Amino acid sequence: MAPLLLQLAALGAALVAAALILISFVAFITATEMPQLHRHEEEKFFLNVRGQREALPSIQDSPTKQLSVVVPSYNEEKRLPVMMDEALGYLEDRQKQDPTFTYEVIIVDDGSKDQTSKVAFKYCQKYGSDKVRVITLVKNRGKGGAIRMGVFSSRGKKILMADADGATKFPDIEKLEKGLNDLQPWPRSYFRTLLMYGFHFLVWFLCVKGIRDTQCGFKLLTREAASRTFSSLHIERWAFDVELLYIAQFFKIPIAEIAVNWTEIEGSKLVPFWSWLQMGKDLLFIRLRYLTGAWRLEQTRKMN
């Protein structure tokens, strides 16, 4: 009986090893090179208040604003106004209190099929194209790709990623700026919480250590850190946050995680269970592709 169990255990171990080798091989051969920031001709410009085209700036230019807010938006014509009203209300009040404070909000329409760009452009008309700019992508790139486009077109010394659903209250940016710690968990639906804890375990086990919630859509980066990390990013879909933090930790960029007020907003583009399965697969492939050398990061890598 004992020899039989040993044989079964050896067979099971061999099958697991074979499966891991096969998955690693698939991850290696399907790995794509780091995507260059290809812009369609229409994506090289934004419309000013008069509806005239102006060329977008580059992340390589010297910053001319204190803060850039990048808002990725896909079919957000209904939720975007609530978020924009709160964000711009806060930013305008802050500028009145401190005239030296300058900002811009960049809405990146990620190939929406609704009126997201038109809704966003109304804020450009109201506040001016120096404060609000709309980039309309020709086709959907994914959240990571949309944020990457906005980051590379920003002018701020600091760059904030903010979701269009308004789940995070905008005044909490002051907490990010002060670098507060002691992140506290916030309430989510039980099913979403269960999936999130499972996802967090995979993130910790495979890629990123020391970060409790990699998927929070409220992230503040310095211009240098944004340029360094987004220039090395491969993933453009939902799991891009994990690779972004993985790259930051590789380059030893300091990371602080703090508590913010968060509210679950209806209308999420995530499909429970299937979205998490997809993200789980992406996590595994991120780890394997860096482990096998299909993707590489170099400390002395030149900026593109």
Side-chain angles (χ1 to χ4, degrees):
M1 186 65 178
L4 178 60
L5 290 176
L6 288 175
Q7 290 179 0
L8 290 175
L11 178 62
L15 289 174
V16 170
L20 184 59
I21 292 172
L22 178 61
I23 293 173
S24 299
F25 178 72
V26 171
F28 185 85
I29 63 174
T30 58
T32 56
E33 294 183 1
M34 186 170 57
Q36 299 297 318
L37 189 67
H38 171 72
R39 293 180 188 263
H40 294 276
E41 188 64 26
E42 298 90 334
E43 297 171 348
K44 297 178 181 179
F45 304 91
F46 69 94
L47 296 180
N48 61 25
V49 177
R50 297 182 297 276
Q52 299 170 331
R53 297 202 309 177
E54 292 188 25
L56 287 164
S58 168
I59 188 72
Q60 303 302 328
D61 299 337
S62 297
T64 58
K65 301 288 184 184
Q66 289 189 14
L67 176 68
S68 292
V69 181
V70 177
V71 186
S73 304
Y74 179 68
N75 293 341
E76 294 287 3
E77 64 176 4
K78 294 182 179 179
R79 299 197 297 178
L80 184 63
V82 177
M83 178 270 175
M84 288 294 289
D85 288 341
E86 186 203 11
L88 288 165
Y90 165 80
L91 293 169
E92 285 291 293
D93 287 343
R94 181 168 170 176
Q95 192 171 64
K96 289 177 182 177
Q97 296 173 14
D98 179 10
T100 63
F101 173 72
T102 56
Y103 74 89
E104 66 173 348
V105 179
I106 303 171
I107 302 106
V108 185
D109 182 349
D110 192 18
S112 298
K113 298 176 182 178
D114 63 2
Q115 302 298 311
T116 295
S117 284
K118 289 184 178 179
V119 170
F121 189 67
K122 290 180 181 179
Y123 289 92
C124 172
Q125 293 174 316
K126 181 177 180 179
Y127 292 92
S129 55
D130 186 54
K131 290 185 175 180
V132 179
R133 294 182 173 181
V134 182
I135 302 175
T136 303
L137 305 186
V138 173
K139 64 177 182 179
N140 179 265
R141 293 173 180 254
K143 184 179 180 181
I147 292 177
R148 189 168 181 245
M149 184 71 78
V151 166
F152 278 26
S153 303
S154 64
R155 297 173 289 164
K157 292 180 182 179
K158 295 180 180 178
I159 302 170
L160 176 72
M161 298 157 42
D163 288 344
D165 60 5
T168 307
K169 298 308 176 185
F170 224 81
D172 280 343
I173 187 178
E174 295 177 20
K175 296 181 181 180
L176 301 185
E177 290 174 318
K178 293 177 181 177
L180 299 179
N181 294 307
D182 301 325
L183 177 69
Q184 300 295 325
W186 42 78
R188 299 172 184 258
S189 65
Y190 289 116
F191 183 57
R192 186 183 177 104
T193 300
L194 177 63
L195 292 174
M196 185 61 73
Y197 275 120
F199 180 74
H200 286 171
F201 172 77
L202 289 177
V203 170
W204 173 85
F205 184 73
L206 295 172
C207 299
V208 178
K209 302 293 191 294
I211 305 296
R212 297 192 210 181
D213 189 356
T214 60
Q215 304 311 108
C216 179
F218 209 60
K219 294 183 176 69
L220 183 68
L221 302 89
T222 64
R223 189 173 184 82
E224 182 182 0
S227 178
R228 193 74 182 271
T229 53
F230 278 94
S231 293
S232 303
L233 191 68
H234 299 83
I235 300 292
E236 292 194 322
R237 297 287 171 178
W238 291 110
F240 87 95
D241 301 82
V242 177
E243 190 192 4
L244 192 74
L245 290 167
Y246 179 89
I247 294 168
Q249 290 188 337
F250 176 86
F251 286 132
K252 295 181 172 56
I253 297 173
I255 303 172
E257 188 176 22
I258 67 171
V260 295
N261 295 306
W262 187 92
T263 305
E264 188 166 354
I265 306 296
E266 293 184 1
S268 172
K269 304 300 186 298
L270 281 174
V271 179
F273 187 72
W274 295 113
S275 294
W276 300 117
L277 280 182
Q278 175 66 40
M279 293 171 79
K281 185 205 80 172
D282 288 342
L283 288 179
L284 179 61
F285 274 37
I286 288 171
R287 180 59 179 161
L288 290 176
R289 283 166 176 164
Y290 279 114
L291 193 64
T292 59
W295 291 348
R296 301 185 183 201
L297 297 171
E298 299 178 10
Q299 290 284 3
T300 57
R301 183 181 179 277
K302 292 182 179 181
M303 296 298 168
N304 184 350

